[in-house]
Amino acid sequence: MRIVILKSLLSQALQTISKAIPTRTTKPILYGVYLEVFATHIQLTAYDQEIGIQTIVHPTDDPEPTLQIEQTGSIVLHAKYLLDIVRKLPHKLVRIDVTDLTATIRSGSATYTLNGMDPREYPHLPSVTEEMSLSMPSNVLISLIEQTAFATATSEIRPTLTGVLFSFVEPQLRFIASDSHRLSIHSIYAETKYSYDKLEAIIPGKSLNELLKILPDSEEFTDIYIADNQLLVTFGATKFYSRLIEGQYPDISRIIPTTWRTAIEVDPKQFTESIERAALLARENENQVIRLYLRRTHIEVTSNSPDIGKVTETIDPISFEGDDLQIACNAKFLLDALKALNNYQVRIEFTSPGSAFILKPTNSDRPLHLILPVRFGPNT
Amino acid sequence: MGRIHVLEDLVANQIAAGEVVERPAAAVKELIENAIDAGAKKIQVIAKDGGLTLLEVQDDGSGIAPEDVKLAFLRHATSKLRNLGDLSKLRSLGFRGEALPSIAAISKVTLRTRIADAEEGVQVRFEAGQLVEQTPVGCPKGTRVTVQDLFYNTPARLKFVRSLQTENAHIVDVVARAAMARPDLSFRVQIDEREALHTLGDGSAFSAFTAIQGRNLAKAALWLSLTSPDYALAGLIVAPEFARKSRSDMWFAVNGRPIRSVALGNAVLAGYSTLVPKGRFPVVAISLSMNPTLIDVNVHPSKTEVRFSEERDVCALLTEAVKQTLEKGVASPIVQSLQQDTASVMTHTKEGSIVAETSSASTGRSLLAAKPATSWSQQVVHEQVSDKKAMQVALDLFGVHSAKPKIIPHVDRQVADSVKEEEKFPLHRQLRAVAQVLKLVIVAEDGEDIYLIDQHAAHERVLYEAFLGKIRRRENYPLPLLVPLTIELHAAKIELLMQYEVQAADFGLRFEPFGEGVIRVTHVPSIWEGLDIAKLAHDAIYDLLEERKVTAFQNEIEDKVIMRACKAAIKANSTMSQMEMDALLEAMQKLDNPFTCPHGRPTAIRITRSQLEREFRRTL
Ligand SMILES: Nc1ncnc2c1ncn2[C@@H]1O[C@H](COP(=O)(O)OP(=O)(O)OP(=O)(O)O)[C@@H](O)[C@H]1O
Ligand SMILES: [Mg+2]
């Protein structure tokens, strides 16, 4: 196999697939990128068994050549080394020659040889029939993920909670995530090629976070396919595969309160800053607990750490409705939700010190973030 | 006929005099040595109040002839040595003729003894070294020495005695070490009316070890045995995960004499290598046999140190023996019991029968059936059958074992060979990964037993051996640095350093002078990949300069292998696909030592089928 390729093109493709290269694995071939050269294009594949990414590079018609295919073939090369090498190469163009299982990489005056691995040993990507799909602009998918993935559980105690519930009931697509202390929901109206009654899957939060890193922030359409136990997302020349989590996602329909007793509107940036200051001390206590005193005149944010000290800060809400209320909660949960709602004016609705409160944009119910407060203990 | 005679002056003076009895345990040690020297089979020790009010040692040995009894309390009176030449051929534990008079000088001693030919025995009583009573007495064959009010006339010494518990512990320790050195003798220790130790004296090191260190450690012990033309080593070494924080459970005996030796301890540690972490010491009990001319026991008044004439040879042999034993036999630690109390009742009953049966070699088969049929326990069983012979041969070869004069070396060979044949590497069956649990452990089975494998530790071991293999095979190629490192050095040092250019390049480190007082490192050993290369290169170069030895530099490189393995190994809390689990198990199967990680922690726990059957009460 022999190709000449624009360095930036190759490094971008490698960058994309590198999200599916494990940092540590017991199966060394998984450290590799499967590089295939066909007569018309080259294809790069990485598959760590959890997620798989495949991307294709075509020659373009630019006056300056971007990819020149001289001989077809394939090899598996250590992805991290290859990426490091390509990034640092001195010249704009890279030449890769493969004989047997050795790749020679030349650029300008630099020459590297890399020992390759046998492509026949590389695992196959899962097969997903590309029939049933949902289509949406890439940036819409990004917002679905950004609003929810952070709220997934990191502990394995309830495996389904480590994923985001993907739930499509025509015409609405909802993403739901919860670690059982908080819950985040976002939904959109999706366009489908076919009509489905109902489509549900639990996508690992980790996979979505990786996907987030390579999705283009544009109007370009992405297609989402859900098979038995696999997710496939395609965009541009790239395919992203992820394992799905098996199991039944808990029923959340009755968790979201429909009434409220106290409601405030805040500027997320200002509120975030106050909470961050309070959280400095809250970091020291176990649940990072801060307290909110909601009064008609002002809101007080406090936190105290027996070993370090106490902080009190007051802010003026944009609006206040209902009764005074005292509530305590985990500062990190609040910050995560506010960060997700960064671009909105935020409305927070409370019912009682002991029940969940919700954060959402002032004029809409989506996205919506729900947080369970911490009960007032003798020390809070 | 009298056998005790006063030593010639020359001999007496050359034998270092000194404080023989510094604490009650030291008196016990001297008394049981005398009993052993007298050919006793059963030795009983009784102590009260830390040995300060009462110490009594009773044996069934030769006894002392009536005309010799008083002589035995004379300084430098011994039946064991006549001149200096004898000292180098010494086979007895005592040789100075000092113990009895020393003890008698600081306590009230009553000695009662009868030799086989005499109708009646003799009883003598000494107080502060003076004979106060001598009467004929009826008593069994053998000797009983009763020491009352030790240190009563030496208040300074009495103050030095620590808590009674400490003294008790020392007494048990002294007897236990002797018992381990002589598994063919039965020892019993009773402290303040409570039995503190009882060894059967059935000749099995395993049985003595079980009595002393307990069943758990014994189960995890491997049988070590190695013979060279000059030396015979035999003993038990315990799986590395039981290593202790101090050296106190590394026991050695030379020709039946318990000794302390830092050199031997270090030799054992070298054999365990990375299986035990730094600052941990494995539990071992190893007996060395050699011609008495090859050692000097007259180093220290307490006779617990010896000087080897070829210490390096002995140590190298010991290291090798330990290494071999661990390589062929490191078995996976068996889960003790899932249900501690009920199971332990069951094992206890069984244990009784095992201990009772070990005295007869012919019962080896039935033991095999009674215990889980794993390679581990098979080995133990073999040991029980063979160690008695091996040990005996080892002792007999050099005439240590006075009571058993017959030598049967060819039998030993056969036994040793058959043991080797059946000592299969414990991971000989194909492991199948069943599932990953808790993102931490792989559950695997081999059709017979269940294995719980620590994913990180196991992978670490795999990588460690791979990296080490690379170094050994010199597959450690120079890794070019995209941005060369520069290190400032004194001009003279640069000159010195450049002398090692070729050797360093051999390990993959390349450097060149780079202007005034600076060198430039262009390549580093490839096994450093992923580590803090700048620091490693810096350290390696300074080592090279300071020690002026390439070996220092080589160590610097190899030391980093563990670190590298640890960094690259799959972490706990990461999901493993079936493919990765299979790959890991397959790699483990090829390891020299699959069952401990480079830090010395276990990588796998085995639960045997028979254990499960017991736990579920399918069998009893
Ligand atoms: N338990 C015993 N049975 C038979 N003989 C004994 C016993 N204890 C002492 N003897 C006799 O008394 C002698 C003196 O004993 P002692 O312990 O003082 O000296 P040793 O054993 O010869 O030398 P060391 O001072 O090194 O112990 C011994 O040589 C031995 O003959
Ligand atoms: Mg003696």
Side-chain angles (χ1 to χ4, degrees):
Chain A
M1 121 182 190
R2 277 205 312 273
I3 55 166
V4 179
I5 184 171
L6 203 62
K7 183 179 113 178
S8 57
L9 212 56
L10 181 58
S11 83
Q12 195 193 346
L14 285 168
Q15 186 78 47
T16 300
I17 59 93
S18 71
K19 304 294 176 290
I21 300 291
T23 42
R24 294 179 184 89
T25 177
T26 55
K27 183 89 184 163
I29 200 160
L30 300 184
Y31 286 125
V33 48
Y34 182 14
L35 186 61
E36 289 166 283
V37 175
F38 300 101
T40 53
H41 63 278
I42 65 169
Q43 176 169 294
L44 292 83
T45 308
Y47 180 32
D48 71 4
Q49 305 291 294
E50 182 86 5
I51 63 176
I53 304 175
Q54 188 166 69
T55 192
I56 288 173
V57 182
H58 284 285
T60 56
D61 300 330
D62 293 356
E64 266 190 64
T66 53
L67 170 64
Q68 181 182 314
I69 292 165
E70 297 175 358
Q71 192 185 62
T72 60
S74 66
I75 191 169
V76 177
L77 293 172
H78 198 291
K80 197 176 143 279
Y81 292 147
L82 186 59
L83 183 57
D84 282 353
I85 290 170
V86 170
R87 270 196 197 132
K88 294 224 162 95
L89 288 177
H91 200 263
K92 241 171 57 181
L93 289 173
V94 187
R95 164 176 284 283
I96 303 180
D97 291 284
V98 172
T99 33
D100 297 325
L101 287 181
T102 309
T104 311
I105 298 157
R106 292 193 192 87
S107 175
S109 58
T111 303
Y112 283 89
T113 38
L114 267 186
N115 296 332
M117 294 171 271
D118 190 345
R120 282 169 301 186
E121 282 170 27
Y122 204 82
H124 294 289
L125 283 171
S127 63
V128 176
T129 50
E130 300 183 13
E131 274 177 9
M132 314 204 291
S133 75
L134 293 178
S135 299
M136 69 191 76
S138 176
N139 54 13
V140 172
L141 179 56
I142 288 178
S143 78
L144 281 169
I145 299 172
E146 276 180 345
Q147 290 298 330
T148 53
F150 69 86
T152 53
T154 46
S155 101
E156 284 292 310
I157 301 168
R158 295 173 71 184
T160 52
L161 293 188
T162 61
V164 172
L165 177 67
F166 170 106
S167 159
F168 179 69
V169 181
E170 209 168 2
Q172 187 176 231
L173 172 66
R174 291 208 295 176
F175 272 37
I176 299 168
S178 170
D179 62 5
S180 79
H181 303 291
R182 56 170 162 178
L183 177 111
S184 296
I185 304 182
H186 195 24
S187 58
I188 56 142
Y189 292 95
E191 183 186 305
T192 56
K193 282 188 185 156
Y194 304 92
S195 70
Y196 316 98
D197 289 343
K198 196 177 167 187
L199 191 59
E200 264 193 7
I202 306 170
I203 309 168
K206 253 177 62 194
S207 302
L208 289 176
N209 284 325
E210 294 303 334
L211 177 59
L212 205 51
K213 292 179 193 157
I214 56 173
L215 277 174
D217 189 5
S218 72
E219 302 281 319
E220 191 189 331
F221 263 69
T222 60
D223 293 313
I224 303 176
Y225 306 85
I226 304 278
D228 279 350
N229 51 8
Q230 283 292 332
L231 163 83
L232 167 60
V233 181
T234 64
F235 48 94
T238 303
K239 291 179 175 177
F240 178 95
Y241 295 80
S242 168
R243 175 184 70 92
L244 294 176
I245 297 172
E246 285 168 45
Q248 188 65 45
Y249 202 83
D251 178 17
I252 55 113
S253 57
R254 267 166 303 163
I255 295 176
I256 300 158
T258 45
T259 57
W260 51 268
R261 267 176 47 208
T262 309
I264 57 169
E265 275 174 41
V266 291
D267 167 38
K269 292 188 187 68
Q270 192 200 352
F271 199 40
T272 298
E273 283 166 17
S274 311
I275 292 165
E276 271 169 353
R277 280 189 287 271
L280 284 178
L281 292 188
R283 255 200 323 239
E284 301 300 320
N285 62 43
E286 214 177 304
N287 295 318
Q288 305 196 20
V289 177
I290 57 158
R291 286 209 246 173
L292 301 176
Y293 292 84
L294 308 170
R295 297 198 190 91
R296 190 156 293 280
T297 46
H298 63 277
I299 297 171
E300 206 174 289
V301 183
T302 72
S303 165
N304 96 61
S305 168
D307 300 335
I308 298 171
K310 191 172 144 92
V311 54
T312 307
E313 165 148 2
T314 55
I315 50 170
D316 299 325
I318 296 169
S319 77
F320 185 101
E321 297 167 68
D323 311 333
D324 290 0
L325 184 83
Q326 272 191 41
I327 202 161
C329 76
N330 181 318
K332 184 178 178 297
F333 292 171
L334 205 50
L335 288 171
D336 284 348
L338 287 167
K339 187 175 167 219
L341 295 171
N342 202 20
N343 293 325
Y344 303 90
Q345 183 167 313
V346 174
R347 179 179 170 90
I348 313 178
E349 295 177 354
F350 304 87
T351 355
S352 76
S355 42
F357 60 93
I358 57 173
L359 296 88
K360 55 178 198 158
T362 305
N363 305 316
S364 167
D365 281 343
R366 341 163 277 180
L368 180 146
H369 302 280
L370 174 145
I371 296 173
L372 270 180
V374 179
R375 291 195 185 272
F376 282 100
N379 295 322
T380 47
Chain B
M1 180 206 77
R3 290 194 295 167
I4 301 184
H5 47 90
V6 179
L7 277 178
E8 291 169 38
D9 270 352
L10 175 67
V11 185
N13 293 335
Q14 281 192 331
I15 292 171
E19 304 271 71
V20 179
V21 187
E22 77 225 355
R23 67 186 337 156
V28 172
K29 182 180 151 297
E30 292 298 334
L31 295 175
I32 58 178
E33 278 183 7
N34 284 349
I36 295 169
D37 284 344
K41 296 256 119 313
K42 279 204 174 82
I43 298 164
Q44 182 164 3
V45 179
I46 295 173
K48 286 214 171 92
D49 302 322
L52 293 173
T53 12
L54 176 78
L55 267 182
E56 187 173 279
V57 176
Q58 165 135 37
D59 68 54
D60 59 354
S62 63
I64 308 174
E67 62 270 37
D68 280 346
V69 172
K70 263 198 286 177
L71 221 46
F73 285 85
L74 226 65
R75 187 153 291 264
H76 302 317
T78 178
S79 60
K80 300 165 189 174
L81 194 64
R82 274 169 198 275
N83 56 48
L84 249 191
D86 284 352
L87 188 53
S88 65
K89 291 180 250 156
L90 190 75
R91 285 175 180 136
S92 59
L93 300 172
F95 51 86
R96 294 166 318 196
E98 250 175 10
L100 281 184
S102 305
I103 295 170
I106 51 173
S107 68
K108 300 165 186 165
V109 175
T110 309
L111 180 144
R112 202 175 75 166
T113 186
R114 182 171 73 82
I115 54 172
D117 314 345
E119 302 254 298
E120 52 176 20
V122 192
Q123 174 165 312
V124 289
R125 191 170 159 75
F126 283 80
E127 271 177 31
Q130 298 303 309
L131 178 71
V132 294
E133 187 195 326
Q134 173 160 14
T135 48
V137 65
C139 64
K141 185 200 141 204
T143 308
R144 188 183 78 185
V145 182
T146 311
V147 180
Q148 283 165 299
D149 302 333
L150 190 62
F151 303 139
Y152 80 106
N153 54 354
T154 58
R157 182 71 57 66
L158 184 57
K159 230 164 74 193
F160 199 67
V161 173
R162 318 221 181 236
S163 80
L164 299 187
Q165 275 93 323
T166 314
E167 297 311 321
N168 286 341
H170 278 281
I171 292 169
V172 178
D173 187 66
V174 148
V175 182
R177 283 171 192 261
M180 198 61 237
R182 293 295 298 269
D184 55 321
L185 308 184
S186 165
F187 291 83
R188 191 190 276 265
V189 182
Q190 202 181 322
I191 288 183
D192 296 332
E193 250 98 80
R194 175 179 56 80
E195 182 169 285
L197 179 72
H198 182 194
T199 66
L200 295 178
D202 56 12
S204 157
F206 182 74
S207 130
F209 192 79
T210 309
I212 293 164
Q213 297 286 21
R215 190 172 166 74
N216 282 351
L217 278 187
K219 256 196 199 158
L222 288 171
W223 177 239
L224 170 148
S225 152
L226 190 72
T227 343
S228 79
D230 287 333
Y231 309 99
L233 307 182
L236 291 157
I237 64 174
V238 177
E241 59 269 30
F242 292 91
R244 302 276 158 95
K245 283 206 182 101
S246 82
R247 289 177 178 255
S248 60
D249 281 312
M250 295 175 91
W251 289 6
F252 302 101
V254 175
N255 293 350
R257 176 194 305 282
I259 58 149
R260 290 170 197 276
S261 165
V262 174
L264 294 182
N266 289 342
V268 167
L269 289 179
Y272 274 83
S273 177
T274 59
L275 294 181
V276 290
K278 269 213 176 88
R280 293 269 171 171
F281 304 93
V283 179
V284 303
I286 296 169
S287 285
L288 295 82
S289 306
M290 60 191 72
N291 193 304
T293 54
L294 294 175
I295 43 170
D296 179 4
V297 287
N298 187 23
V299 181
H300 192 267
S302 65
K303 298 172 284 187
T304 55
E305 277 169 35
V306 296
R307 197 172 288 137
F308 298 101
S309 56
E310 305 291 344
E311 181 170 280
R312 237 187 284 151
D313 290 359
V314 177
C315 288
L317 196 69
L318 180 56
T319 301
E320 188 50 37
V322 170
K323 216 190 244 157
Q324 277 183 14
T325 307
L326 291 168
E327 269 167 17
K328 67 187 178 198
V330 168
S332 172
I334 298 179
V335 168
Q336 287 306 323
S337 165
L338 305 172
Q339 245 182 331
Q340 203 60 48
D341 38 10
T342 52
S344 66
V345 174
M346 291 185 287
T347 31
H348 263 294
T349 22
K350 215 169 259 165
E351 184 183 9
S353 63
I354 287 169
V355 172
E357 280 169 351
T358 45
S359 53
S360 147
S362 62
T363 54
R365 291 299 124 199
S366 69
L367 283 178
L368 193 62
K371 296 186 73 191
T374 61
S375 53
W376 181 269
S377 50
Q378 273 165 13
Q379 195 185 4
V380 170
V381 171
H382 282 303
E383 180 267 318
Q384 288 167 348
V385 178
S386 64
D387 82 320
K388 205 170 146 189
K389 289 195 186 109
M391 189 77 146
Q392 193 178 307
V393 169
L395 292 171
D396 281 349
L397 266 177
F398 303 103
V400 175
H401 211 165
S402 52
K404 285 184 184 149
K406 286 200 188 79
I407 300 175
I408 34 164
H410 61 283
V411 175
D412 177 42
R413 261 224 83 76
Q414 276 174 4
V415 172
D417 286 347
S418 73
V419 170
K420 229 178 227 142
E421 196 47 47
E422 286 172 59
E423 262 171 23
K424 284 266 163 55
F425 183 66
L427 253 190
H428 57 292
R429 285 176 294 216
Q430 189 72 35
L431 289 190
R432 191 174 68 82
V434 181
Q436 186 199 23
V437 290
L438 306 177
K439 285 195 179 175
L440 177 74
V441 165
I442 298 170
V443 180
E445 62 153 321
D446 63 4
E448 191 59 37
D449 301 332
I450 296 176
Y451 295 79
L452 301 177
I453 295 160
D454 178 329
Q455 61 188 47
H456 173 72
H459 193 207
E460 200 174 43
R461 184 80 217 175
V462 168
L463 294 173
Y464 174 72
E465 288 198 10
F467 291 148
L468 216 56
K470 277 190 183 166
I471 293 183
R472 297 211 175 119
R473 291 192 304 272
R474 288 279 188 278
E475 276 174 29
N476 176 27
Y477 57 89
L479 183 73
L481 295 177
L482 291 165
V483 185
L485 294 165
T486 50
I487 297 176
E488 284 181 28
L489 278 180
H490 211 276
K493 293 220 163 145
I494 292 184
E495 207 153 293
L496 183 64
L497 185 67
M498 291 322 288
Q499 294 174 9
Y500 297 106
E501 190 184 355
V502 178
Q503 287 110 309
D506 204 30
F507 289 103
L509 187 71
R510 296 197 186 151
F511 41 77
E512 60 201 20
F514 190 62
E516 192 89 355
V518 175
I519 59 150
R520 190 163 84 147
V521 179
T522 56
H523 294 71
V524 296
S526 61
I527 58 151
W528 285 0
E529 159 77 39
L531 301 175
D532 183 351
I533 285 169
K535 182 175 183 307
L536 294 182
H538 196 270
D539 290 354
I541 282 170
Y542 273 86
D543 275 2
L544 206 51
L545 285 172
E546 267 158 41
E547 309 215 1
R548 306 192 177 191
K549 265 193 239 135
V550 179
T551 48
F553 167 71
Q554 182 179 354
N555 288 341
E556 189 68 35
I557 293 176
E558 291 189 359
D559 272 359
K560 299 305 172 285
V561 170
I562 295 181
M563 210 158 105
R564 168 95 196 274
C566 185
K567 277 191 94 150
I570 193 151
K571 292 272 180 286
N573 217 6
S574 29
T575 330
M576 289 184 80
S577 59
Q578 186 67 37
M579 179 189 254
E580 290 171 298
M581 292 193 285
D582 292 342
L584 179 59
L585 295 192
E586 202 185 309
M588 271 181 90
Q589 228 120 3
K590 293 186 192 130
L591 293 184
D592 292 342
N593 180 357
F595 288 123
T596 28
C597 81
H599 302 285
R601 292 190 301 265
T603 58
I605 294 172
R606 178 172 60 185
I607 306 171
T608 64
R609 175 190 283 266
S610 48
Q611 253 177 311
L612 289 173
E613 286 174 347
R614 256 200 327 264
E615 295 293 339
F616 291 120
R617 310 279 166 88
R618 290 173 151 266
T619 56
L620 281 177

